[in-house]
């Protein structure tokens, strides 16, 4: 197994122009690989995991810093990192085939983006069977001004998860749908809190008088939960990472992908159950953690104990939420979309649908930069079949969703990235949100129930323009906000073994020439202004190609079959010409090829 390779270090990169504020870069390395994890004593499970742990390593930085993550994929399948909840440039969003090609087995990719919003986020792959393993971690962005958060003494992250292994869903009429387990991993039919079953819990240590912040993250494949702490009300302070006007409740529904931060006053000494149930049945505890006051001597509550707060406590509702830092819905929408969430019963296999369409046969929703876009999501499924399955935690990538019809009204709507749509007949099954189209590119939005995703409940948002003016429309541009060529490495299915042929691809407007270079890697890239950032020193030209009608220039390279070079990491960059773009040439993004 790979050792944990998590190397946080912070250093300063001097601004290019004197007087620029230095940008702080925080570096991490995340390795995806098999690991043996122990959800409870005596139970060893092989899982796909980050940094050999489930959940994976916490990534933490301060608002305004730049996060740079070197992701190494040692899994036997292509993978990627998606940064759930952060509105970052499209090329860094980690959706295979949409944001960039996936990271092939044995290869790596460096994600780099500014963390401009504080809050609780998480990262995971964006492939259905991989989202049902141990592959998830927390990304916590602390506010630049600590006073922007409510005061707390201790900070605990609480992941809720529903085990790993093959998934099956009854489909009525006797059929089932399945998502196979990730190859080579074990099966666990239990719910997990921080990667452990109720039998494997490590108590959360607290002291009387403390204010304890819990950051709840639902990373499950198919389960929407309710979570409650026995003996203590919770003050909800953040929804999906963004601060809300504090609201006190005893139980919190949390859809897949959602996050809630709460602060709890520790004023009731003892040993307490922090319990989660299915959202569809609050009277059965699926997993529980233990909150233990220092000095308290009682036994931990039993795993099946159902705290009163869980079964009957006051439940948080979206209508309770108002943003603490108000971003009003100022403008009337420039575009309005109504989306019905439904199912198609055939002909053919049953599918989940947005407006009757099922991935990948979908019509993108078009937006233009600067528009205000209002979307209404309406659950349309009515019928006796599978009523419990009709909860849809809908997640939109890359944008901040201002949820309407809440305590915040139009002046202070809560800002979310995942919105749980209830079944018809169980409260409000329709939600409306508005977002500003301020992040050009191609973006996914989808149900975060991976069975529903797998059965087609995914859609696309396409920007209509070319915001960086590089001749590639935003919807296909892998770097839509800066006019630089994008270099990717592709084995074309042949693997990266010595002697095999790989393709160096550069996305760049058709008809333009691209030189491919390799060389040594400089510690900090040389900023050449409009030309780009040069990472190689010195560099050697590998070859040249011209981008064709699909906007890609491809150079096939055969890796020498020489064992001496096995294990080498080769830094790559390209230099591209452009007929109209000043100054006539640009240096590509940087990439490493692992031999
Ligand atoms: Cu948490 Cu599209 O993902
Ligand atoms: Cu769904």
């Amino acid at each position: 197994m790979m050792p944990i390779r998590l190397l946080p270090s912070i250093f300063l990169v001097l601004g290019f122009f004197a007087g620029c504020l230095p940008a702080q870069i925080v570096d991490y390395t995340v390795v995806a690989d098999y690991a043996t994890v122990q959800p409870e004593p005596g139970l060893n499970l092989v899982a796909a995991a980050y940094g050999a742990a489930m959940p994976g390593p916490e990534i933490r930085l301060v608002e305004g810093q730049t996060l740079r993550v070197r992701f190494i994929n040692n899994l036997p399948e292509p993978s990627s990192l998606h940064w759930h909840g952060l509105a970052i440039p499209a090329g860094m969003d980690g959706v295979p085939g949409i944001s960039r090609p996936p990271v092939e087995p044995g290869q790596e990719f460096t994600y780099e983006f500014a963390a401009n919003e504080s809050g609780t986020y998480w990262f995971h792959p964006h492939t259905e069977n991989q989202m049902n393993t141990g592959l998830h971690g927390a990304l916590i962005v602390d506010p630049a001004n600590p006073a922007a958060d409510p005061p707390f003494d201790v900070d605990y992250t609480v992941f809720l998860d529903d085990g790993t292994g093959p998934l099956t869903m009854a489909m009525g009429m006797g059929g089932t749908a399945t998502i196979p387990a990730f190859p080579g991993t074990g099966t666990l039919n239990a719910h997990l809190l921080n990667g452990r079953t109720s039998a494997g819990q490590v108590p959360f240590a607290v002291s009387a008088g403390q204010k304890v912040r819990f950051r709840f993250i639902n990373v499950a494949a198919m389960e929407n939960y309710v979570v409650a702490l026995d003996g203590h009300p919770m003050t909800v302070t953040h929804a999906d990472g963004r601060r809300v006007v504090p609201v006190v409740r005893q139980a919190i529904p949390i859809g897949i992908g959602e996050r809630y931060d709460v602060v709890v006053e520790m004023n009731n000494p003892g040993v307490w159950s922090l319990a989660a149930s299915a959202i569809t049945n609050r009277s059965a505890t699926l997993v529980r953690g233990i909150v233990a006051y220092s000095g308290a001597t009682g036994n931990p509550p039993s795993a099946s104990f159902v705290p009163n707060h869980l079964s009957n406590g006051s439940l948080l509702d979206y209508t309770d939420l108002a943003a603490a830092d108000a971003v009003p819905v100022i403008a009337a929408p420039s575009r309005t979309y109504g989306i019905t969430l439904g199912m198609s019963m055939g002909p053919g296999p049953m599918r989940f649908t947005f407006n009757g369409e099922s991935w990948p046969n979908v019509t993108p929703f078009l937006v233009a930069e600067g528009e205000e876009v209002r979307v209404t999501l309406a659950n349309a499924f009515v019928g006796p079949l599978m009523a419990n399955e009709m909860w849809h935690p809908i997640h939109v990538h890359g944008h901040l969703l201002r949820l309407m019809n809440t305590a915040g009204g139009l002046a202070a709507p809560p800002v979310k990235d995942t919105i749980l749509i209830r079944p018809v007949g169980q409260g409000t099954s329709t939600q409306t949100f508005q977002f500003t189209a301020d992040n050009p590119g191609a973006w996914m939005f989808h149900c975060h129930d991976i069975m529903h995703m797998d059965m087609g409940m995914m859609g696309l948002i396409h920007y209509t323009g070319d915001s960086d003016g590089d001749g590639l429309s935003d919807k296909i541009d892998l770097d839509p906000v800066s006019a630089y060529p994008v270099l990717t490495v592709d084995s074309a299915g042949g693997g990266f073994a010595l002697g095999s042929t790989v393709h160096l691809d550069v996305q760049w407007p058709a008809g333009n020439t691209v030189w491919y270079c390799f060389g040594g890697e400089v510690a900090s890239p040389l900023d050449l202004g409009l030309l780009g950032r040069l990472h190689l020193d010195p560099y050697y030209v590998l070859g040249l190609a011209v981008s064709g009608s699909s906007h890609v220039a491809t150079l096939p390279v055969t890796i020498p079959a020489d064992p001496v070079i096995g294990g080498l990491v080769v830094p790559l960059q390209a230099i591209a010409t452009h007929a109209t773009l000043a100054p006539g040439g640009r240096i590509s993004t940087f990439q490493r090829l692992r031999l």
Side-chain angles (χ1 to χ4, degrees), residues 3-75:
I4 295 180
R5 281 201 260 170
L6 175 66
L7 312 163
S9 65
I10 297 181
F11 55 88
L12 299 179
V13 171
L14 296 177
F16 182 53
F17 300 107
C20 265
L21 279 179
Q24 273 193 318
I25 296 184
V26 180
D27 275 296
Y28 282 86
T29 297
V30 172
V31 180
D33 203 347
Y34 291 114
T36 300
V37 295
Q38 199 169 57
E40 60 186 57
L43 176 61
N44 292 320
L45 180 78
V46 176
Y50 296 131
M54 179 176 84
E58 176 184 286
I59 292 179
R60 196 157 191 151
L61 70 166
V62 176
E63 174 191 2
Q65 291 178 327
T66 290
L67 176 63
R68 188 160 59 194
V69 177
R70 188 167 180 176
F71 170 57
I72 298 173
N73 179 19
N74 286 339
L75 299 171

Side-chain angles (χ1 to χ4, degrees), residues 153-156 202-208 210 212 214 266 290-294:
D153 303 304
V154 199
D155 186 358
Y156 288 120
V202 178
F204 296 103
V206 304
S207 304
Q210 278 182 334
V212 176
F214 292 101
M266 291 300 161
I290 300 160
V291 173
Y293 280 68
S294 66

Side-chain angles (χ1 to χ4, degrees), residues 82-85 93 95 122-126 131 256-257 395-397 418 444-448 453:
H82 168 58
W83 310 95
H84 183 119
D93 198 47
V95 180
W122 62 295
F123 56 97
H124 62 77
H126 217 279
M131 291 163 77
I256 304 162
H395 173 48
V396 180
H397 287 211
T418 309
M444 294 293 295
F445 75 97
H446 59 91
C447 182
H448 220 293
M453 264 177 97

Side-chain angles (χ1 to χ4, degrees), residues 389 391-394 447 449 452 457:
E389 307 288 346
W391 296 77
H392 295 300
I394 303 294
C447 182
D449 177 313
H452 298 181
M457 197 170 251

Side-chain angles (χ1 to χ4, degrees), residues 249-567:
R249 288 291 178 271
Q250 291 162 334
I252 299 174
I254 179 165
I256 304 162
E258 287 192 299
R259 287 89 61 219
Y260 282 102
D261 293 22
V262 304
V263 173
V264 180
E265 299 262 0
M266 291 300 161
N267 55 11
N268 195 358
V271 181
W272 299 97
S273 168
L274 175 64
S277 73
I279 205 165
T280 48
N281 178 11
R282 291 175 63 190
S283 49
T285 296
L286 295 176
V287 63
R288 66 100 180 82
I290 300 160
V291 173
Y293 280 68
S294 66
T297 51
N299 287 325
S302 84
S304 58
F305 170 68
V306 181
N308 216 24
H309 281 176
L310 184 62
S311 54
N312 290 305
S314 56
L315 198 62
L316 182 75
D317 190 86
Y318 284 160
T319 54
D320 299 328
L321 299 175
D325 312 300
V327 184
V329 173
I330 21 153
S334 12
R335 240 183 245 262
T336 304
Y337 284 113
I339 302 177
T340 48
L341 317 182
M343 292 169 77
S344 119
M345 297 303 212
M350 193 188 79
R351 303 289 290 171
F352 285 91
T353 57
F354 286 143
N355 285 349
E357 294 185 336
S358 190
W359 185 268
N361 302 311
V362 299
T363 311
F365 294 93
L366 300 181
V367 303
E369 192 174 2
E371 285 184 336
E372 284 290 312
V373 183
R374 187 171 295 183
V375 179
T376 297
L377 299 171
N379 203 337
F381 185 79
V382 186
L385 288 176
M386 305 167 58
N388 286 348
E389 307 288 346
M390 294 306 109
W391 296 77
H392 295 300
I394 303 294
H395 173 48
V396 180
H397 287 211
H399 295 84
L400 309 183
L401 315 179
R402 303 192 298 279
L403 184 63
M404 304 178 68
N405 309 308
T406 66
L410 290 180
V415 175
K416 297 193 88 284
D417 50 67
T418 309
I419 298 173
L420 182 59
I421 307 295
R422 305 174 70 91
V424 173
Q426 295 189 43
T428 309
S429 59
T430 296
Q431 296 288 347
T432 298
F433 62 86
Q434 184 162 324
F435 67 89
T436 306
D438 54 4
N439 200 359
W443 298 99
M444 294 293 295
F445 75 97
H446 59 91
C447 182
H448 220 293
D449 177 313
I450 69 171
M451 182 66 79
H452 298 181
M453 264 177 97
D454 196 59
M455 294 173 72
M457 197 170 251
M458 301 201 286
L460 272 176
I461 296 169
H462 274 173
Y463 277 66
T464 55
D466 172 14
S467 73
D468 60 8
D470 66 356
L472 297 169
S473 67
D474 287 340
K475 65 174 189 282
I476 61 154
D477 196 339
L478 298 180
D479 193 353
V481 291
S482 58
Y484 294 92
V486 173
L487 175 67
T488 60
V489 178
D490 167 19
S491 79
F496 291 88
L498 300 183
S500 68
T501 297
V502 300
H503 294 144
L504 307 184
D505 296 334
V506 170
Q507 189 195 44
W508 196 234
N512 289 286
T513 307
V514 176
W515 282 270
Y516 296 80
C517 309
F518 71 101
E521 181 179 348
V522 289
S524 36
L526 189 60
D527 196 331
L528 299 180
L530 211 47
L531 274 176
R533 291 199 298 172
L534 185 65
H535 290 251
L536 303 179
D537 174 40
Y539 66 83
Y540 304 91
V541 175
L542 254 177
L544 161 159
V546 175
S547 49
S549 54
S550 57
H551 303 284
V552 176
T554 297
L555 180 73
V557 178
T558 299
I559 303 173
D562 182 347
V564 166
I565 63 167

